[in-house]
Amino acid sequence: MTNRTLLKKDAYLKELDRRVLIFDGAMGTMLQQEHLTAADFGGERYNGCNDYLVLSSPETISKIHRAYLEAGADVIETDSFRANRLTLADYDLSDKTNEINFAAAQIARKAADDYSTADSPRFVAGSIGPSGKLISTNDPEMSNISYDELAELFREQARGLIRGGVDLLLIETSNDILEVKATIHGIHLAFEDEGVQLPIQAQVTLDINGKMLLGTDITAVLSILEGMGVDVVGLNCSTGPEHMRGAISYLSERSRLPISCIPNAGLPMNVDGEAVYPMQAEEFSSALADYVSRYGIRVVGGCCGTTPSHIQALKEKIAAASPAQIEPEAAASLASSVQAVALEQQPAPFVIGERLNAQGSRAFKRLLLAEDYDGMLQIARDQVDF
């Protein structure tokens, strides 16, 4: 298992360097089209728990994976978006966390392997969504979890996915940058547990104003994630591609990592109480192909509202696109939870004042002991003038 997984890490990153990779589309959208009943979910108790379908109706999940692979997806995501112990507790399924994640990875692995060829390998991304908490807030209910508890939560989920045979771990639809850090920490702990190292692709969700839910902007996202050992950084969900342009442009200019962009099929509209995504396959695929040609992004795909037709159109458009070659600006920065500040050293002459030394100047020592700062500054000025 260790040797195989290490080889898979090498294969995924090498393939990403060689060409643009296309992720699949939405899982939830496809499940809605299946018109599943409570029986499909394993009973009324589990009705609506999409992650449990890997155990109660694995053929349904396999069918969706294969539809996306048939459409041309290079990477399929496991049906494990909410499969952590905390969210599974809503269905009394916490004790099945490892089993669900393992099964999700195995189903996707089998489908990907069936469609893989020497010239066109297919990969499996272990999907890890948010915990449902917002640790950075002051809300007593939403923040009642510690950083270490979050790390352990995602450590457990990652171990199940790794054992099931995923090629990379995908952190997606992230709303709280502190939780993203805890997730990455938990994944690294899982790597130590399992004796493997897989790529980590970390994707945050921005609103139409370019901010995460709690105000974090793309400058802070990049500064934080680049220092945490992730391999791909990007955006997914929330908006359609048109509202991601500013953030994607920033990443293309600054990121030393490959960039991913996996948007919804436009901003959702409420139609008779249901979310409807308006962007059709042609418009969607054209927008992402433009991002490849203009900004050099390496990973594209679809989130909410996208279907195999979106992925098929995307495959055709990407085949004709020539990725831009952009050399990012190398700039160190420091980030708060909201934004980053570039560390820029202004070129200037340096003057060394030899007399500003308590060991070599009695006058300076007397001024220092007397805390006479004006006097010490005058000595410095006299040296500069001299």
Side-chain angles (χ1 to χ4, degrees):
M1 177 64 171
T2 300
N3 290 337
R4 178 182 180 281
T5 309
L6 288 173
L7 287 173
K8 281 291 185 180
K9 172 185 173 66
D10 186 61
Y12 178 76
L13 295 180
K14 280 188 175 180
E15 196 70 13
L16 187 62
D17 187 58
R18 187 175 74 87
R19 63 189 175 99
V20 176
L21 293 180
I22 300 174
F23 271 56
D24 58 9
M27 174 63 72
T29 300
M30 296 294 284
L31 287 174
Q32 288 174 2
Q33 295 179 10
E34 292 294 317
H35 303 292
L36 301 175
T37 66
D40 294 308
F41 286 96
E44 195 63 44
R45 178 182 182 185
Y46 310 119
N47 194 7
C49 184
N50 290 346
D51 304 295
Y52 191 56
L53 288 168
V54 299
L55 298 182
S56 65
S57 185
E59 65 281 358
T60 300
I61 303 304
S62 179
K63 174 185 173 182
I64 293 171
H65 286 325
R66 291 170 188 274
Y68 282 121
L69 290 165
E70 193 69 33
D74 300 302
V75 187
I76 53 175
E77 298 181 26
T78 57
D79 178 34
S80 58
F81 180 70
R82 302 299 301 278
N84 64 72
R85 176 172 291 273
L86 187 61
T87 54
L88 289 175
D90 293 340
Y91 298 91
D92 296 322
L93 288 170
S94 294
D95 61 336
K96 290 188 176 292
T97 299
N98 181 72
E99 184 181 358
I100 288 171
N101 283 282
F102 180 85
Q106 287 273 283
I107 294 167
R109 176 81 274 149
K110 177 64 167 63
D113 287 348
D114 286 348
Y115 277 81
S116 288
T117 66
D119 294 331
S120 181
R122 308 298 178 97
F123 300 98
V124 176
S127 173
I128 299 178
S131 68
K133 296 291 185 179
L134 291 171
I135 188 176
S136 297
T137 70
N138 293 322
D139 184 278
E141 175 61 28
M142 296 298 292
S143 65
N144 65 342
I145 191 169
S146 71
Y147 179 93
D148 288 341
E149 287 171 336
L150 279 175
E152 285 299 320
L153 195 76
F154 294 115
R155 177 187 195 171
E156 180 183 28
Q157 183 177 7
R159 290 184 70 180
L161 294 169
I162 292 168
R163 291 171 179 174
V166 301
D167 299 300
L168 68 148
L169 290 165
L170 175 67
I171 304 168
E172 58 177 340
T173 321
S174 302
N175 294 303
D176 186 334
I177 196 65
L178 185 56
E179 180 172 282
V180 178
K181 293 176 69 173
T183 309
I184 296 169
H185 183 195
I187 289 172
H188 283 296
L189 291 174
F191 289 163
E192 293 177 10
D193 294 338
E194 301 300 318
V196 301
Q197 189 78 26
L198 299 178
I200 301 174
Q201 185 165 309
Q203 297 173 170
V204 302
T205 292
L206 305 180
D207 62 21
I208 60 174
N209 297 311
K211 303 290 181 67
M212 294 178 70
L213 183 62
L214 302 178
T216 306
D217 70 12
I218 195 62
T219 68
V221 169
L222 181 60
S223 181
I224 291 168
L225 295 185
E226 277 195 327
M228 293 203 68
V230 303
D231 299 278
V232 182
V233 62
L235 313 175
N236 83 289
C237 200
S238 187
T239 70
E242 70 276 12
H243 292 291
M244 293 180 170
R245 186 175 295 274
I248 291 296
S249 176
Y250 178 86
L251 290 176
S252 73
E253 294 171 356
R254 304 296 180 89
S255 176
R256 296 186 296 271
L257 302 172
I259 302 163
S260 64
C261 184
I262 303 179
N264 291 344
L267 285 169
M269 301 182 298
N270 189 322
V271 179
D272 298 328
E274 293 187 5
V276 175
Y277 295 85
M279 190 172 280
Q280 299 302 307
E282 178 66 21
E283 184 184 4
F284 179 84
S285 58
S286 294
L288 286 181
D290 178 64
Y291 281 10
V292 170
S293 300
R294 190 183 300 267
Y295 303 118
I297 61 176
R298 306 300 298 177
V299 176
V300 292
C303 202
C304 303
T306 57
T307 65
S309 64
H310 289 79
I311 303 308
Q312 183 174 358
L314 189 54
K315 184 76 171 181
E316 294 168 359
K317 289 285 173 56
I318 295 302
S322 179
Q325 301 297 318
I326 299 174
E327 189 66 33
E329 299 176 12
S333 63
L334 290 175
S336 68
S337 62
V338 177
Q339 66 183 60
V341 176
L343 298 178
E344 299 179 358
Q345 180 174 307
Q346 299 296 327
F350 288 90
V351 178
I352 299 175
E354 294 182 1
R355 294 180 185 174
L356 306 183
N357 184 341
Q359 297 300 313
S361 170
R362 289 184 179 180
F364 188 81
K365 183 175 182 178
R366 286 197 297 270
L367 293 170
L368 180 63
L369 292 174
E371 297 185 359
D372 186 347
Y373 300 110
D374 290 336
M376 288 186 282
L377 283 172
Q378 188 57 52
I379 291 177
R381 293 191 183 99
D382 291 343
Q383 278 201 268
V384 171
D385 293 341
F386 179 77

